[in-house]
């Protein structure tokens, strides 16, 4: 636990503790989704399980990462006045992260016994062959959670290109239509209006630009929001996602799990972002802001820790309670240690 306790960089000018703290909470929510705690009849609450409700509650996390990325990028562009240079630098770093983590998970096997028996290099080769088999597999990555990195890269470049129009309303309409098509590829695939809109592109690629753009437009004083409005958007958006998911379950039989994007999601995460901006010192004095700086490394690396621990496997009540915090603390410890090495720090923090 010393790595967790001491894995703190010197205070970086311009960082907002409230956003870093919220990142730490959001990445814990991602781990709770991936560890699948409290799934099964024994943990059911009527017709749904406690695990399904945890999954739904944690789905704000990835859209929150998108909106924060857009906001921070917008802030950098506003302060530097060199949009192209800032965005190209950000895109270059993201491309490096994609290459690094793709390579890591091509070499990292989920079953080391099978690797010893079948040949580690041979299995890595076949994983790479499957990955490059088609474009969508390549974007999804060697592990499902890595889709976020290319989606953020493509979404950022998409937003930057469209916003060269310099007219916010047409841009907003375009991103909203794209978001609707993304919903048609995801939660609303069976909806008679939104389902047919899907062009066959992964929903995340079409939904991300709207959320990135709302974050970008929130940078500086471009969009100012009062506390009541921000609270209304966040709380109302959160409640609306539960109502929406419940309606989809009973109307179209869509499971409660896996809803990264719903109609209410942009309002939910936009409200949360603005609440954090209104209270920039929130969580100061706790370890959350420091831990939040390692969100990238924890997000990318936690699946390897989960595979070692078998965290997706069900167990007794104690295991269901402990497996998510255990994966988080172990991953944070490893990432904190690796981030001390300057040459690899950009891949983890």
């Amino acid at each position: 636990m010393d790595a967790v306790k001491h894995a703190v960089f010197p205070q970086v000018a311009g960082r907002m503790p409230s956003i870093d703290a919220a990142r730490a909470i959001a990445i814990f929510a991602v781990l709770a989704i991936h560890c699948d705690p409290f799934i099964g009849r024994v943990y059911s609450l009527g017709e749904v399980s406690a695990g399904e409700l945890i999954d739904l509650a944690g789905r704000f996390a990835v859209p929150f990462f998108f909106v924060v990325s857009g906001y921070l990028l917008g802030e950098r562009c506003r302060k530097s006045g060199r949009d192209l240079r800032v965005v190209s630098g950000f895109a270059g770093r993201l491309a490096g992260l994609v290459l690094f983590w793709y390579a890591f998970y091509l070499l990292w096997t989920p079953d080391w016994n099978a690797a010893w028996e079948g040949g580690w290099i041979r299995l890595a080769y076949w994983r790479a062959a499957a990955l490059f088999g088609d474009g969508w597999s390549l974007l999804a990555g060697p592990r499902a959670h890595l889709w976020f990195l290319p989606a953020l890269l493509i979404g950022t470049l998409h937003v930057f290109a469209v916003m060269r129009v310099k007219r916010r309303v047409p841009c907003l309409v375009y991103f909203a239509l794209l978001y609707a098509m993304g919903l048609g590829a995801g939660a609303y695939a069976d909806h008679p209006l939104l389902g047919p809109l899907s062009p066959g592109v992964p929903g995340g690629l079409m939904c991300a630009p709207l959320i990135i753009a709302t974050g970008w437009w929130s940078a500086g004083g471009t969009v100012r929001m009062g506390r009541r409005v921000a609270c209304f958007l966040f709380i109302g958006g959160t409640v609306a996602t539960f109502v929406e998911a419940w309606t989809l379950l009973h109307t179209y039989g869509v499971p409660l799990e896996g809803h990264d994007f719903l109609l209410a999601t942009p309002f939910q995460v936009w409200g949360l972002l603005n609440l954090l901006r209104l209270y920039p010192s929130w969580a100061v004095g706790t370890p959350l802001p420091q831990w939040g700086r390692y969100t990238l490394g924890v997000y990318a690396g936690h699946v390897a820790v989960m595979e070692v621990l078998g965290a997706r496997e069900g167990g007794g009540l104690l295991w269901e309670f402990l497996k998510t915090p255990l994966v988080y603390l172990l991953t944070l410890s490893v990432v904190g240690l690796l981030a001390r090495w300057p040459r690899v720090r950009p891949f983890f923090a």
Side-chain angles (χ1 to χ4, degrees), residues 2-9 290-291 294 332-333 336-337 340:
D2 284 343
V4 176
K5 186 176 181 181
H6 299 294
V8 180
F9 293 141
Q290 287 78 21
W291 291 1
Y294 296 93
L332 185 63
S333 298
L337 288 172
R340 293 183 176 185

Side-chain angles (χ1 to χ4, degrees), residues 7 21 25 42 45 52 60-61 128 145 154 241 259 291 323 341:
I25 295 170
V42 67
L45 302 169
E52 290 174 309
F60 79 95
H145 73 296
I154 295 170
T241 57
H259 295 314
W291 291 1
K323 62 181 181 178
W341 188 17

